[in-house]
Amino acid sequence: MAYETIIVDVQDYVAMITLNRPDALNAINTQMLSELCTALEDADVNDKVRCVVITGSEKAFAAGADITEMSDRSFVDMYVAKIFSAEATRFNNARKPIIAAVSGYALGGGCELAMMCDFIIAADTAKFGQPEINLGVIAGLGGTQRLPRYVGKAKAMDMHLTGRFMDAPEAERCGLVSRVVPVKKLKEEAMAAAAKIAEKSTIATQAAKEAVNAAFETPLTAGLAVERGLFYAMFSTEDQKEGMAAFLEKREAQFRDR
Ligand code: DAK
């Protein structure tokens, strides 16, 4: 499929999706979010994809939702059209693991987009922020809900209320990102992490993603039940037999996603 706001490149079982509105620092407009969702849905049904990486440019992962597109909208416009609502659901329904590789600005909707991914690898230049407060609004793509889950209430309130940016070392210290790498190595490191994931059974990686995500949706007992059910289900797969046989035979497992 031909896209105008993103570039999709599938290689070695990894789909690299690059946000591509450089003139607007990858500001997320309706078209970009919709194209991104379509690319994720394509990845989910493509046997040649086992992991997805979403990245931007060196200067900006994404500097937020497109202010130009929304500045004149009224409450009725937003409410009736339910702007971004369907896309948020489509994104959250993606089953294959998604890594955000963030360099430069990840602000507003850009920070929220990164947090919608399964984990974030940050360049040492990354700057995260929820500066919507400076525009007279608040976050609308999950930032008030996901940021506290990542970094706790104190820092989340600080960022949402002051609009300040968080640099990469602080983001790593408080658990917003899984690791920080030199900016020149960001894509290589993200690809290496994606390649590691792509070596596994996609049934197991998708189940792991589902189980970890349950931790954010359920009380502990319910989450543990989700995990246990998925764990037992793994024993119906050929990949479990192969993975355990390979360990006992001291060889590499050949997973077939069955
Ligand atoms: N939207 C549109 N254009 C943007 C943009 C944005 N968010 N961010 C940057 N640009 C454009 C600039 O206007 C400029 O365009 P030209 O003037 O060259 O035409 C170009 O990108 C380069 O930007 P700057 O000249 O400003 O570059 P600097 O290096 O000086 O500054 C900056 C970089 C990132 C600090 C600055 O651009 C900046 O502060 N940008 C805005 C950051 C921001 O406020 N982001 C939050 C946006 S509000 C929704 C859910 C969620 C949301 C909305 C709706 N629904 C459920 C409906 C989310 C809202 C947001 O994200």
Side-chain angles (χ1 to χ4, degrees):
M1 160 142 191
Y3 297 111
E4 291 175 355
T5 63
I6 60 172
I7 298 165
V8 182
D9 182 26
V10 176
Q11 271 180 39
D12 301 330
Y13 294 98
V14 176
M16 171 75 78
I17 303 178
T18 305
L19 308 179
N20 188 35
R21 298 187 69 220
D23 293 346
L25 301 186
N26 291 330
I28 302 162
N29 60 11
T30 313
Q31 182 183 4
M32 181 192 271
L33 196 54
S34 170
E35 290 188 354
L36 194 49
C37 291
T38 303
L40 293 178
E41 286 160 358
D42 285 352
D44 266 354
V45 296
N46 184 349
D47 292 344
K48 297 268 179 276
V49 176
R50 288 157 163 259
C51 187
V52 177
V53 176
I54 300 179
T55 195
S57 68
E58 202 167 300
K59 179 163 182 185
F61 176 73
D66 191 324
I67 299 168
T68 317
E69 187 182 66
M70 63 187 165
S71 63
D72 288 335
R73 286 198 169 131
S74 67
F75 164 76
V76 172
D77 295 334
M78 297 298 245
Y79 188 76
V80 170
K82 291 178 84 175
I83 306 283
F84 288 178
S85 169
E87 289 80 5
T89 304
R90 288 171 68 196
F91 195 109
N92 292 337
N93 284 341
R95 299 191 68 192
K96 289 185 179 163
I98 307 170
I99 301 172
V102 173
S103 170
Y105 296 110
L107 305 178
C111 185
E112 293 170 304
L113 179 65
M115 290 191 291
M116 286 161 73
C117 298
D118 296 313
F119 64 97
I120 303 171
I121 298 179
D124 47 12
T125 58
K127 287 185 188 61
F128 298 88
Q130 299 285 169
E132 292 91 339
I133 204 82
N134 299 330
L135 302 170
V137 294
I138 68 168
L141 204 53
T144 64
Q145 303 305 300
R146 288 198 178 90
L147 192 60
R149 284 167 162 84
Y150 276 94
V151 306
K153 178 180 173 184
K155 278 190 190 289
M157 279 290 190
D158 181 356
M159 290 174 72
H160 279 288
L161 294 178
T162 68
R164 80 168 174 93
F165 298 167
M166 183 184 269
D167 65 14
E170 184 182 5
E172 186 178 28
R173 273 198 311 278
C174 65
L176 178 56
V177 310
S178 71
R179 40 183 133 153
V180 177
V181 301
V183 64
K184 293 297 173 204
K185 294 192 118 191
L186 176 65
K187 286 202 184 144
E188 186 186 322
E189 295 278 349
M191 280 304 289
K196 267 272 165 247
I197 293 168
E199 287 170 7
K200 325 290 183 209
S201 162
T202 56
I203 303 171
T205 59
Q206 290 180 54
K209 168 171 172 161
E210 194 177 329
V212 173
N213 280 335
F216 297 94
E217 308 276 354
T218 58
L220 181 62
T221 310
L224 291 172
V226 170
E227 178 192 80
R228 198 169 304 116
L230 286 164
F231 179 72
Y232 293 157
M234 295 294 106
F235 287 78
S236 66
T237 68
E238 290 175 21
D239 286 344
Q240 173 268 325
K241 300 288 174 289
E242 166 62 10
M244 293 193 179
F247 175 80
L248 294 172
E249 292 160 17
K250 301 190 187 306
R251 61 174 174 80
E252 288 291 311
Q254 300 296 322
F255 294 119
R256 297 169 63 219
D257 303 335
R258 301 235 174 106

